[in-house]
Amino acid sequence: MKTILTYGTFDLLHVGHLNMLERLKSMGDKLIVGVSTDEFNQQKGKQSIFSFDERARIINALSCVDEVIPEKNWQQKPEDIHKYNVDIFGIGDDWQGKFDSLNEFCEVHYLSRTKDISSTSLKQALSNIDKEFIRQIKDNLDHMFTIVKAME
Amino acid sequence: MKTILTYGTFDLLHVGHLNMLERLKSMGDKLIVGVSTDEFNQQKGKQSIFSFDERARIINALSCVDEVIPEKNWQQKPEDIHKYNVDIFGIGDDWQGKFDSLNEFCEVHYLSRTKDISSTSLKQALSNIDKEFIRQIKDNLDHMFTIVKAME
């Protein structure tokens, strides 16, 4: 039996996450996902919309995921690989080369990410309507400043 | 074998969706989910962040969901109930009483929704920072208008 391990925050689940998790699962038999805790994200300066409990529950509800474990720090990976008899460690290629040191414990794979999809771009898309509104207000404000200056 | 049917847009999957789907699945053996198409949402004046294909894929990736079908209009429910031999039609109690007419074809259940979680409130939370920023700019603008008017 081949066991695969990956880590991530997985806030606002999208098809990019799903592509990655399903590809990882297809590389073996058992997929374990380390979901970053809220405390660990805080250390990284990251703030998720959903709490750890919510994110872990959603990831655990996917049929391609066999087990969810908490990711609490940067150092736990070798320990997890040993504890869960992991054969393959896989992660997005935005981390290319960063986890080569794990090669002494298991295979390390960097997977290409789905283009144009990420939680960050998703959050940006969500606030775009507001941004357009801000731009209009700013234009009006600039126009008023010109009038005020001309009145001086 | 008991078959359950539900419908929804399921944009930005959250634990409220999951609670509902897992409860529905626990009522029988097979859960079929009708995911609203983008065209049907347009008719309803709804705009989702994720496309139909993305939403359908994510719902289909949940282990509690057995089949996803497209929801194209308001009228298809009796036909779907017949076609898929549905025993139970279930939906959130924000629709209480609205689908009682389906009682002649199968059981109808209205399920209580998870408090404080909905896609709508989620989107609001996401854009709250921008909204606060807009409010401050607007207040300043209003104040400046008063000054400019007094100078005329």
Side-chain angles (χ1 to χ4, degrees):
Chain A
M1 200 193 65
K2 257 192 173 172
T3 300
I4 305 111
L5 175 65
T6 191
Y7 296 90
T9 295
F10 302 102
D11 199 21
L12 300 176
L13 189 74
H14 53 67
V15 291
H17 291 137
L18 205 55
N19 288 341
M20 171 81 80
L21 294 172
E22 288 180 349
R23 275 172 64 200
L24 286 168
K25 171 71 173 190
S26 74
M27 294 165 83
D29 307 288
K30 184 180 178 181
L31 175 58
I32 302 175
V33 181
V35 174
S36 304
T37 62
D38 297 326
E39 293 73 20
F40 184 40
N41 275 338
Q42 210 162 20
Q43 278 179 45
K44 291 188 276 182
K46 256 177 131 174
Q47 170 70 53
S48 62
I49 303 291
F50 292 136
S51 70
F52 168 76
D53 287 344
E54 293 176 308
R55 292 179 284 114
R57 224 191 112 200
I58 287 171
I59 293 301
N60 213 205
L62 297 173
S63 50
C64 64
V65 174
D66 298 284
E67 194 171 342
V68 168
I69 59 170
E71 186 194 23
K72 297 177 177 176
N73 56 59
W74 292 110
Q75 300 85 42
Q76 76 187 60
K77 289 181 185 71
E79 200 185 310
D80 288 343
I81 290 167
H82 180 73
K83 186 175 171 187
Y84 298 101
N85 289 308
V86 170
D87 301 282
I88 299 172
F89 168 79
I91 201 148
D93 61 5
D94 45 328
W95 293 98
Q96 188 71 48
K98 294 285 197 319
F99 295 108
D100 287 354
S101 64
L102 297 176
N103 258 316
E104 64 172 299
F105 310 112
C106 67
E107 288 178 37
V108 176
H109 289 257
Y110 300 100
L111 285 80
S112 59
R113 291 175 60 130
T114 309
K115 268 187 185 168
D116 297 329
I117 310 176
S118 76
S119 293
T120 309
S121 66
L122 178 62
K123 285 176 198 171
Q124 280 168 355
L126 281 165
S127 64
N128 263 354
I129 303 163
D130 281 344
K131 288 227 172 70
E132 178 52 33
F133 191 55
I134 292 173
R135 200 172 303 118
Q136 287 172 15
I137 294 178
K138 198 191 163 295
D139 287 348
N140 284 339
L141 200 59
D142 289 345
H143 187 63
M144 266 188 52
F145 259 117
T146 316
I147 296 171
V148 171
K149 268 207 142 175
M151 288 168 80
E152 276 181 339
Chain B
M1 200 192 67
K2 258 194 174 171
T3 300
I4 305 110
L5 175 65
T6 191
Y7 297 89
T9 293
F10 302 103
D11 200 20
L12 300 175
L13 190 74
H14 53 68
V15 291
H17 291 138
L18 204 56
N19 288 341
M20 172 82 78
L21 294 172
E22 288 180 348
R23 275 172 65 201
L24 286 167
K25 171 71 173 190
S26 76
M27 293 165 84
D29 307 286
K30 185 180 178 181
L31 175 59
I32 302 175
V33 181
V35 174
S36 304
T37 63
D38 297 325
E39 293 73 20
F40 184 41
N41 275 336
Q42 211 161 21
Q43 279 178 45
K44 291 187 276 181
K46 256 179 130 173
Q47 170 69 53
S48 63
I49 303 293
F50 291 137
S51 69
F52 168 76
D53 287 344
E54 293 176 307
R55 292 179 284 114
R57 224 189 113 202
I58 286 172
I59 293 301
N60 213 204
L62 298 173
S63 50
C64 63
V65 174
D66 297 284
E67 194 172 341
V68 167
I69 59 169
E71 186 193 24
K72 298 176 177 177
N73 55 60
W74 293 110
Q75 300 85 42
Q76 77 187 59
K77 290 181 185 73
E79 199 185 310
D80 288 343
I81 290 167
H82 180 72
K83 187 175 171 185
Y84 297 101
N85 288 309
V86 170
D87 300 283
I88 299 172
F89 168 79
I91 202 147
D93 61 4
D94 44 329
W95 293 97
Q96 188 71 47
K98 294 285 197 320
F99 296 107
D100 287 354
S101 64
L102 297 175
N103 257 317
E104 63 172 300
F105 310 112
C106 66
E107 287 178 38
V108 175
H109 289 257
Y110 300 99
L111 284 80
S112 59
R113 290 175 62 131
T114 309
K115 266 187 187 168
D116 297 330
I117 309 175
S118 77
S119 293
T120 309
S121 67
L122 177 62
K123 287 176 198 172
Q124 280 167 354
L126 281 165
S127 64
N128 261 354
I129 302 163
D130 281 344
K131 288 228 173 68
E132 179 51 33
F133 191 53
I134 291 172
R135 200 171 304 118
Q136 286 172 15
I137 294 179
K138 199 191 163 296
D139 286 349
N140 284 338
L141 199 59
D142 289 345
H143 188 62
M144 266 186 53
F145 257 120
T146 316
I147 296 170
V148 170
K149 269 208 142 175
M151 289 167 81
E152 276 181 338

